[in-house]
Each structure stands twice: as C-alpha cells, then as structure tokens.
Amino acid sequence: MKKLYLLILFQLVFTNAFSQKEIWGSAMYGGEYHYGYIFKTDSIGDNLTVMHSFNWGDGALPGELLSVSNNKLYGITSYGGQHAGGIDTASGGTFFEYDMSTSSYAVIQHLGPGNTVIPGDTPYGEGMRTLSEGAPGIIYGELRGYYGGSRFFTYNINTGIAAVAANMLTFQGGFQNQTTGIRANSAFYKHTDGYLYATSYVNSTCPIAQPNFGCIYRLDPANNTISMRYRGECSMTDNGYLFRGNFVPYNGELYSTTLQGGGPVFKGVIYSFNPQTSVYTKHYSFEGGELGGTSYFLTKANNGKFYGIADGGISEPNLQSGGGILYEFDPTTNIFTKKYNFLYGDGWNGNVGPFASSLISGHNGKLYGATDNGIFEYNPATNEMRAAGRSDVSTQSFKLTLTKVCRKPSYIPSVETVRQSCEGSIFVFDLQSENATNTIWLHNNIPDTSKTGTILAFDAISLADAGSWSAQLTNECGTTNTIAFYIAVQPKPVVIQNGSSLITLSDATSYQWIYCDSNLPISNATGATYSPEVDGNFSVNITSNNCALTSDCFLFSTLGLGGVSDNTIVVYPNPAGNELLLKGITGIISGAVYNVTGQRVMEITSNRLDVAGLQSGVYFIGLIVDNQTRIGKFVKR
C-alpha cells in the first residue's frame, strides 16, 4: 500500500513539472515512412518528439497544423489517402485531425476525385498554411481546382459535419482568355471585423493577357459569400505583386509581403491593406542580395515589431545565393533591419541551418522557427540565435512548420470500456496525463472528493466503488473531460442457511467450503450448497470472473436461523404473486435474487421488485446496504 501511495505522489509531482505550453508542427517529408510527420516540442523548442508518421494511406506531405479549442490539431495532406494515385498524381490527400488529449490520429475526409462530400482536385498541403477557424468551432479550408473548380469547405468540430461552403470567384482572362478560378495561396485570416481575408497569385486589373499579379478577397462567414477587395495593378509596378496572405494586424490594417515587384530589383515588398477602405500601401521594397528578398513569412513579436524570413543573405561556397535571412520591420517607422544570416556552414545537423520554413512568436516573447535541421530560437531583445530541437537526420526531414499550442490536459483512455475487479482487491488505473494540474474524478457523474491526482486507486475495492468513472483534467489552458469507463466489481460470495444446508448466493465456476476455525478445506464440499454434519463457522471459496473470493464466516446452527436473524430483510407479501416489497430498505447499492441452487435470476435496483416472471418456488435475496450484507427469503406462488 505504501508503494501505491508513493506512486500517486510521484505522479502528482511529475505532472505538475510539465508545461502545457508547447510547440507542435509538421514536416513535409521525413518520419518512419518518409511521407512526413507530426511532432511536438516543449515551450522553448527543445525535446523534439515525433508523434505521428504519415504512411500514405492516412495521407502524405502535410501542411501547417491548425490548433483549435477542442484540444485537437487539424491539417491537410496533398497526397495519399483512399483516392490517391501515384506520388506524382495531383489527386488524393486527406483532411485529418490529431487529438492531443489522447495522442490519436484520424482521417476526417479522404480527399480527391472519389470524394463526394467536398469534391476537389488538389488539396493544400506540402508545408503550406491550409486551414483557419473562421468562426467558433468552424474550420475553413480550400480545395483547388482548375478553370473555376476551386471551392471552400467548412468543418464543424462539434457535429463532425464537412460541407462545401462556396465556390471560388472566377474571372475571364489569361493567354487563351478562358474562365479561370481564383485559387488561394494561403489560409483565410480572421480579422477583428468578423470577415475572413485571403489572397491569390492570380487576377488583376488587366486579366488579358497577364492575370498573374494577384488579388485580395474577403469571405463573409455569416453567409459564405465571397467579394473581391483589391486587384493588383496592371504592370510589374513598384508596389509589388503576387500577394502573400499570412497577414499580421497593426493599427487596424493587415500587413504581409509580396513575392515579386518593388523597385529596383523586384524582390518583393512589405505592404499593408486597410480592410475598411480597401487601400493598399507599400511600406518597404526588398533590396535583394545580402539584404534579402522574396519573403514568405511575417509574424509580430511581443515588442510590436514584425519579423520575417527572406531569401538571400551572405554567399557561401555551398550556397552562392545565401541561405536566407531573418529580418525585423518596425511598422511605426518603416525601418527594415537584417538580424541574422542563415548559414549552411559545414552542413552539420546541430547547426541552425539554412532555408527557414516557418516563424512564429513563442509563449515567452521569443521567436521560434524551423529549418530542415530542426527548431531554432531567436531572442529579439538580445539578438541571440539558438539551435533547439533537432530533426532526425535518418529521416531527411524537409519543410518543417510550427504551431503554438496551449495544450489542455492529455491522457491515455482505458482500452477496456469495462474493467473487471475483485471485491477487496487493489485497483489502480493511471490516466498517464503529463500536463494536468488539477483532477476531479466523477463516480456515476458525481464528483468524488476523496480521489485526487490522475491515478484512480483503491486499497480494497468495494461494491460501492463499482460503476462509471471519468475525470475532469484541468490546467491553465482549459479542461479535458475524459471518456468514461465502467468498473465491474465481482462481489464476495454470500452464504445463507436454508434448513440444514448452507447456500452461497453466487454464480461461480468452482466452489470449496472451508472450516473457518481451522481454515482447512472440507473434502468433497465443492458445490454451491453444503450440508454441515456439525454446527460451526463455515465459509466458501469461489472462482468467478477470474476472481478468487472468500465469503465471510457463517455460524451454522441446526435451528436453521444461525447467523441470519440480525441481517434479515422483511419482505411482503410472502408468498409473493407479481410484486414483492422490501420493507425498510433504502439506499440499496447492489443486490440480486437467487434460486435454491445459488443461481442469480434477477438484479435488484429498488425496494419494489417485479417477480411476475419468476417460476414458483423458494428464492433468496442478497443485498449490500450501507456496505453491509442483508439477506431475505420468499416463496413465489
């Protein structure tokens, strides 16, 4: 018993030592099957652990993960799934969820030409930002198509229903002047005005014959209607084109970057878009070379400044064009500052490495990003860069993306929905939660204040402990309600006296009667009924449901009432017809009716019994009331 409580104490200390603030992410390639994987790190990017490897059947080449309030991650893969062809076939893919509470992966929709719920040709994935929570509990995503086939879909995390929300806008243009669908290049951004904003690399004010300058459009989640808000100018202007959509807000406007345009080297710009007036403003043109250009990522730090990743940087022998830069942009002054050069160096995996593929603001005011080598940490206050969790070089990870997560408590559900136990035995069930700071156990949906910690433990389990058990696990990020499981307790046998015989009111696979005074078995006394030759104390050992149980000692008397009178149940009418009442019995915990051979023929759930279905004969009643055994006897007419 001492060891059991030490285990509980260790569990409490251990769970509180873990932080629920973490970083999760995906890798486009790598993992056990080389089709990508889901991973997590602690809040500072260390201890990178692979949580799920994509195996083609459940998807391949995942995009960035979306963290939602139900403690699940959602994402899309570009390939794999039931409707996928070969790796070079632009079809297939999956829409999936990963439950951080139970560490389980599930495919919600197998995408591709065979999907009739949300049909589309080419899902997003491959390290791209693919999904957004456009309304509380409603996830928005896009399936790309060709020549007007793109469409947006929604998924309700509460109902599990996926549906097409809207078909994408089209325009007339291109070199062949055909009807072409606008395709998003990133997930929607939900602004404070309640609308969802996104960008595309196509459409402009001059769709014929060069439409590929880009546009900004808006979706109204109230009615799922799409409207055009801004179209790029009809030239390779100084204002930039090919708009990125990973918006960051500042002073009521949305900031992002373009991939091209901006004078004089056309390496892109940092721009803002005013959702109220639809006014587009360029703030900075990338200069190329060591100062970088073609920026894909922009994020806002706690100091109010923007930080991003761009191509270029210092030339190296292995990377003549540079491995990329980390830059800072102050939206109050429009001042751009390069902060760090990503270097190939000697190529060692322990280095930060080149070609960053993600950048987020962490839980602690620092920035976290990823290269193929793994996670890096950048401190804006000190300009210090640190290599954090490293990728597994054996899997050749590629294009890692990061998602900041405040994770509600996790746990491992019981594999068995019903857990068998033996009355009086030790019972232990460990939720294996690594980040719960408070636990409330519920017994039959009623809180049990005697149980604390994430281990449900009983020194000697009783019939009163049987029933449904679940837990509410809480930390600073929220509450997780665990899946309930049922504890079935096999009771100790009950012995009663019927005339000159002893009867055990228990179904069992084996019986052995015992002399209590000597604790010795009685020869040939191996049935449910035993007729003692002398008065004395007797008990019975039984085996039932893998439980070896022994009854309490029973004082046998040839008067036929030994050991019964103080615990009898008054029943009426007796003999009984269709109904039997148990007088003075309240708070029944469990009970049953037995025939003269000891077989259980009816469960008792209240003090009023419907016995119309019983055959005529003698029956016994065995109850557990207030943790004490009570017995009775009646005759059925």
Side-chain angles (χ1 to χ4, degrees):
M1 192 57 206
K2 182 178 180 181
K3 291 182 178 178
L4 176 60
Y5 285 124
L6 286 176
L7 177 61
I8 296 174
L9 178 62
F10 172 78
Q11 177 75 0
L12 289 172
V13 174
F14 183 77
T15 56
N16 287 324
F18 271 78
S19 171
Q20 48 271 10
K21 292 182 177 180
E22 298 171 329
I23 296 172
W24 285 66
S26 66
M28 178 176 165
Y29 290 119
E32 183 177 358
Y33 308 101
H34 305 288
Y35 293 126
Y37 58 87
I38 296 171
F39 65 88
K40 72 172 182 178
T41 76
D42 56 29
S43 63
I44 59 172
D46 291 332
N47 301 307
L48 190 153
T49 305
V50 174
M51 304 301 293
H52 175 78
S53 290
F54 292 91
N55 62 15
W56 183 263
D58 62 20
L61 282 62
E64 184 176 306
L65 303 174
L66 172 69
S67 176
V68 183
S69 56
N70 61 357
N71 220 35
K72 294 181 180 180
L73 300 169
Y74 293 86
I76 287 182
T77 67
S78 290
Y79 299 94
Q82 294 178 355
H83 306 308
I87 191 68
D88 294 324
T89 302
S91 64
T94 59
F95 171 44
F96 65 84
E97 71 176 16
Y98 183 88
D99 191 333
M100 293 181 288
S101 296
T102 60
S103 300
S104 57
Y105 175 94
V107 174
I108 299 172
Q109 289 285 326
H110 288 271
L111 304 174
N115 187 302
T116 58
V117 178
I118 44 175
D121 295 328
T122 311
Y124 273 114
E126 302 176 61
M128 302 175 70
R129 184 176 297 179
T130 58
L131 302 170
S132 59
E133 190 172 9
I138 306 297
I139 295 174
Y140 280 77
E142 189 202 20
L143 297 178
R144 293 175 290 176
Y146 297 98
Y147 306 120
S150 295
R151 54 184 54 87
F152 293 103
F153 70 89
T154 60
Y155 177 73
N156 189 315
I157 65 174
N158 298 310
T159 65
I161 295 176
V164 172
N167 288 325
M168 190 52 179
L169 296 175
T170 61
F171 67 96
Q172 194 78 16
F175 290 109
Q176 298 180 4
N177 196 25
Q178 74 273 13
T179 300
T180 304
I182 296 173
R183 294 187 290 170
N185 58 50
S186 186
F188 281 112
Y189 170 81
K190 184 179 180 180
H191 192 42
T192 54
D193 61 9
Y195 294 108
L196 310 180
Y197 293 86
T199 63
S200 175
Y201 293 152
V202 299
N203 201 3
S204 69
T205 56
C206 54
I208 304 172
Q210 177 53 272
N212 296 323
F213 289 148
C215 61
I216 302 173
Y217 55 92
R218 184 180 77 182
L219 185 145
D220 185 349
N223 52 25
N224 289 330
T225 57
I226 302 172
S227 59
M228 186 63 59
R229 307 304 295 172
Y230 177 79
R231 293 195 296 171
E233 299 176 358
C234 191
S235 64
M236 297 179 64
T237 68
D238 183 62
N239 279 334
Y241 59 96
L242 300 183
F243 310 111
R244 294 291 294 166
N246 56 325
F247 292 117
V248 291
Y250 175 77
N251 200 24
E253 298 190 68
L254 301 178
Y255 280 70
S256 189
T257 61
T258 70
L259 298 186
Q260 295 183 29
V265 294
F266 299 105
K267 290 294 184 178
V269 306
I270 297 174
Y271 72 89
S272 68
F273 173 75
N274 189 317
Q276 301 302 316
T277 62
S278 295
V279 171
Y280 173 98
T281 305
K282 185 195 76 170
H283 295 278
Y284 172 79
S285 292
F286 288 95
E287 298 181 21
E290 292 191 6
L291 290 178
T294 310
S295 174
Y296 292 89
F297 308 103
L298 196 64
T299 190
K300 184 166 64 175
N302 290 353
N303 61 10
K305 297 180 180 180
F306 298 162
Y307 292 83
I309 303 294
D311 292 345
I314 294 176
S315 177
E316 296 182 88
N318 294 312
L319 291 173
Q320 297 295 322
S321 298
I325 67 167
L326 171 69
Y327 64 85
E328 175 188 274
F329 178 78
D330 188 339
T332 63
T333 62
N334 289 340
I335 294 177
F336 173 95
T337 308
K338 184 177 77 168
K339 307 299 289 187
Y340 182 81
N341 288 289
F342 292 99
L343 303 176
Y344 181 83
D346 57 9
W348 180 51
N349 182 256
N351 296 335
V352 171
F355 306 130
S357 56
S358 186
L359 186 67
I360 63 171
S361 180
H363 297 282
N364 55 3
K366 298 179 182 179
L367 299 176
Y368 292 87
T371 67
D372 295 351
N373 286 6
I375 313 303
F376 64 82
E377 174 190 83
Y378 175 76
N379 189 338
T382 62
N383 199 36
E384 293 177 323
M385 178 70 74
R386 179 181 70 90
R390 300 290 83 192
S391 302
D392 184 355
V393 293
S394 65
T395 63
Q396 296 180 338
S397 301
F398 176 65
K399 206 168 187 180
L400 279 64
T401 66
L402 304 181
T403 300
K404 183 169 63 174
V405 169
C406 192
R407 183 164 61 99
K408 298 176 185 178
S410 63
Y411 74 104
I412 304 300
S414 174
V415 177
E416 305 166 287
T417 56
V418 178
R419 298 180 70 88
Q420 298 285 345
S421 188
C422 309
E423 184 181 4
S425 65
I426 294 175
F427 178 92
V428 177
F429 175 68
D430 185 358
L431 288 171
Q432 301 181 56
S433 178
E434 64 179 24
N435 64 336
T437 55
N438 185 60
T439 303
I440 298 175
W441 284 98
L442 292 89
H443 183 201
N444 296 326
N445 295 320
I446 299 174
D448 185 341
T449 57
S450 67
K451 300 300 178 186
T452 59
T454 56
I455 297 177
L456 180 64
F458 296 94
D459 167 357
I461 199 165
S462 69
L463 297 179
D465 301 320
S468 172
W469 286 90
S470 61
Q472 293 177 346
L473 307 176
T474 305
N475 61 25
E476 64 178 304
C477 301
T479 298
T480 297
N481 295 308
T482 69
I483 299 172
F485 65 93
Y486 189 89
I487 299 179
V489 179
Q490 179 64 36
K492 295 192 303 183
V494 176
V495 175
I496 65 170
Q497 183 174 342
N498 182 28
S500 61
S501 297
L502 296 177
I503 299 173
T504 174
L505 302 180
S506 300
D507 295 325
T509 55
S510 68
Y511 304 86
Q512 178 61 63
W513 291 88
I514 304 292
Y515 289 115
C516 279
D517 295 337
S518 62
N519 199 31
L520 294 174
I522 302 171
S523 298
N524 299 319
T526 56
T529 302
Y530 170 62
S531 299
E533 298 178 356
V534 295
D535 290 351
N537 287 305
F538 298 90
S539 65
V540 64
N541 292 341
I542 67 166
T543 301
S544 180
N545 290 327
N546 297 317
C547 291
L549 297 162
T550 303
S551 71
D552 294 332
C553 290
F554 186 92
L555 177 60
F556 174 78
S557 169
T558 54
L559 295 176
L561 299 173
V564 174
S565 58
D566 291 338
N567 295 298
T568 55
I569 300 168
V570 177
V571 299
Y572 63 93
N574 191 4
N578 295 330
E579 187 176 65
L580 185 70
L581 301 177
L582 310 182
K583 186 176 181 180
I585 299 298
T586 59
I588 293 175
I589 296 173
S590 62
V593 176
Y594 302 84
N595 62 21
V596 293
T597 65
Q599 293 178 318
R600 185 188 296 248
V601 296
M602 179 186 294
E603 299 297 324
I604 298 176
T605 58
S606 72
N607 59 3
R608 186 181 297 271
L609 280 64
D610 181 1
V611 295
L614 296 181
Q615 297 180 355
S616 298
V618 177
Y619 292 89
F620 300 95
I621 294 173
L623 295 179
I624 302 296
V625 181
D626 298 328
N627 292 321
Q628 293 184 355
T629 301
R630 303 285 297 277
I631 60 175
K633 179 181 177 180
F634 70 95
V635 175
K636 171 65 169 61
R637 292 199 301 264

